[in-house]
Amino acid sequence: MRYRSVTETAKQWNVSERSVRNYCAHGRVNGAFLTGKTWNIPENAEKPERVNKKKERPITLLDILQEEKSGKYAGGIYHKTQIDLTYNSNHIEGSRLTHDQTRYIFETNTIGVENEVLNVDDVIETANHFHCIDMIIDDAKAMLTEKFIKELHLILKNGTSDSRKDWFAVGGYKKLPNEVGGMDTPPPEDVADKMKMLLKEYNAKEEKTLEDILDFHAKFERIHPFQDGNGRVGRLIMFKECLKYNIVPFIIEDNLKLFYYRGLKEWDDEKGYLTDTCLTAQDKYKGYLDYFRISY
């Protein structure tokens, strides 16, 4: 059996190369298989019949992220989201890895170091955060539960120096009191009840708006249920819920960090601070979608 490349097949079928990759990723080309990141397509493979557009459901950002993830598509919105969300969310929490180092870890699963000292936890948490993003893409439609949130924390902190501390509960709620932004948070013994109440209130709403998602985030961060990693888990949850309800997601970048913190602190009295900050971040992500010609 002889095989053709995506480029050759696209010319033969008179379609774009992206269409050919999409057909292959969805299992619509008999006998096609991947070698590394390259599709091998039987030379006698027939072009899949076009689905009647009237019956075809709208292609959402979540559909595209899941498709690019499963097809190991490089250079698209999944690739950019993984790198930018991981870099910025970790950077807010003090990671010293650069954007280029973050990208290199994602693309090669290695990191080159020359005349530089890196924090091992920064590297581990970067790799772990990539897995967390895969989880929120795979399970975007799932209901938000304590189990899901704890699993995110477990993945994020697994293998770090924190995971070797007796008092640090990886994948579990905090054992010691903590604070956020100079403010007290509920004591460890109250966290489980507080989280159950928050999730019950949130899940009671059938269709969530952006304000509902931000309200959950602000309340989650005030509970601060984990010993560490609350900010990153909270921002992953926001991204997941935006995907679930077809709301354009957003990435809080370093230049918005202080506005973001102020918005969380002032949420009860003035919702506009956090809302405006997230809408600004959302506009930036819309720019990514425009670049990749993804409708929203």
Side-chain angles (χ1 to χ4, degrees):
M1 172 72 69
R2 292 187 59 195
Y3 294 89
R4 288 194 172 99
S5 67
V6 167
T7 301
E8 292 169 334
T9 304
K11 289 179 181 177
Q12 181 187 16
W13 291 350
N14 194 28
V15 297
S16 69
E17 292 182 21
R18 178 168 185 162
S19 294
V20 175
R21 290 191 185 92
N22 287 346
Y23 289 144
C24 294
H26 284 92
R28 299 182 63 194
V29 181
N30 291 332
F33 64 92
L34 276 172
T35 301
K37 296 182 179 179
T38 303
W39 282 105
N40 300 276
I41 303 165
E43 64 175 355
N44 61 352
E46 295 184 3
K47 176 183 174 182
E49 290 186 14
R50 190 171 183 175
V51 178
N52 188 333
K53 283 194 170 182
K54 292 182 180 178
K55 296 181 181 178
E56 193 175 60
R57 68 188 177 92
I59 299 296
T60 65
L61 172 61
L62 176 58
D63 294 328
I64 294 169
L65 286 169
Q66 290 178 337
E67 175 186 293
E68 291 188 358
K69 172 185 172 294
S70 64
K72 297 180 171 55
Y73 181 75
I77 189 63
Y78 166 75
H79 190 132
K80 186 163 188 64
T81 297
Q82 276 280 15
I83 295 166
D84 283 14
L85 179 53
T86 296
Y87 166 73
N88 284 288
S89 202
N90 280 341
H91 196 64
I92 285 175
E93 305 303 330
S95 171
R96 295 188 295 275
L97 293 184
T98 66
H99 189 276
D100 280 345
Q101 287 169 333
T102 304
R103 176 180 57 79
Y104 199 70
I105 293 172
F106 178 72
E107 292 175 351
T108 70
N109 198 38
T110 62
I111 186 164
V113 181
E114 188 173 328
N115 299 322
E116 186 177 1
V117 176
L118 297 181
N119 184 304
V120 174
D121 281 345
D122 286 349
V123 177
I124 293 172
E125 289 181 353
T126 291
N128 288 350
H129 198 277
F130 296 144
H131 294 304
C132 287
I133 294 176
D134 281 345
M135 180 179 170
I136 64 171
I137 290 173
D138 288 340
D139 299 326
K141 292 292 186 180
M143 178 183 287
L144 199 56
T145 63
E146 286 186 274
K147 182 180 178 181
F148 182 90
I149 294 171
K150 288 179 177 179
E151 182 68 18
L152 274 179
H153 187 259
L154 176 63
I155 294 171
L156 177 66
K157 300 299 291 186
N158 186 43
T160 64
S161 60
D162 284 334
S163 69
R164 298 190 291 275
K165 298 171 182 173
D166 292 338
W167 50 268
F168 194 101
V170 173
Y173 293 145
K174 62 189 178 186
K175 296 180 179 180
L176 300 175
N178 57 11
E179 63 173 24
V180 55
M183 298 185 296
D184 293 341
T185 64
E189 58 270 19
D190 292 347
V191 167
D193 287 341
K194 294 280 187 185
M195 285 298 298
K196 285 180 174 61
M197 289 173 60
L198 176 59
L199 285 163
K200 182 178 181 181
E201 173 191 343
Y202 180 74
N203 287 325
K205 304 169 186 175
E206 285 192 23
E207 285 295 320
K208 277 67 167 184
T209 64
L210 178 60
E211 182 173 328
D212 292 328
I213 294 170
L214 297 183
D215 183 67
F216 178 91
H217 183 62
K219 291 175 178 175
F220 173 85
E221 295 303 331
R222 286 182 187 172
I223 294 172
H224 232 56
F226 302 112
Q227 210 70 59
D228 181 62
N230 295 281
R232 282 167 290 184
V233 170
R235 290 186 289 275
L236 284 162
I237 290 170
M238 282 200 294
F239 205 96
K240 170 202 176 297
E241 291 297 284
C242 283
L243 290 177
K244 180 175 183 177
Y245 295 102
N246 204 22
I247 297 168
V248 175
F250 49 89
I251 296 169
I252 304 296
E253 297 186 351
D254 192 58
N255 64 314
L256 294 176
K257 180 171 67 174
L258 295 180
F259 299 103
Y260 166 66
Y261 284 151
R262 180 189 183 187
L264 289 174
K265 187 174 182 179
E266 302 291 340
W267 178 253
D268 286 344
D269 298 321
E270 177 52 69
K271 291 180 169 49
Y273 295 135
L274 183 60
T275 302
D276 289 348
T277 298
C278 293
L279 288 176
T280 298
Q282 189 185 64
D283 285 341
K284 180 74 176 284
Y285 198 86
K286 285 179 179 178
Y288 299 163
L289 299 182
D290 290 337
Y291 178 84
F292 290 111
R293 301 178 182 177
I294 298 171
S295 60
Y296 51 87

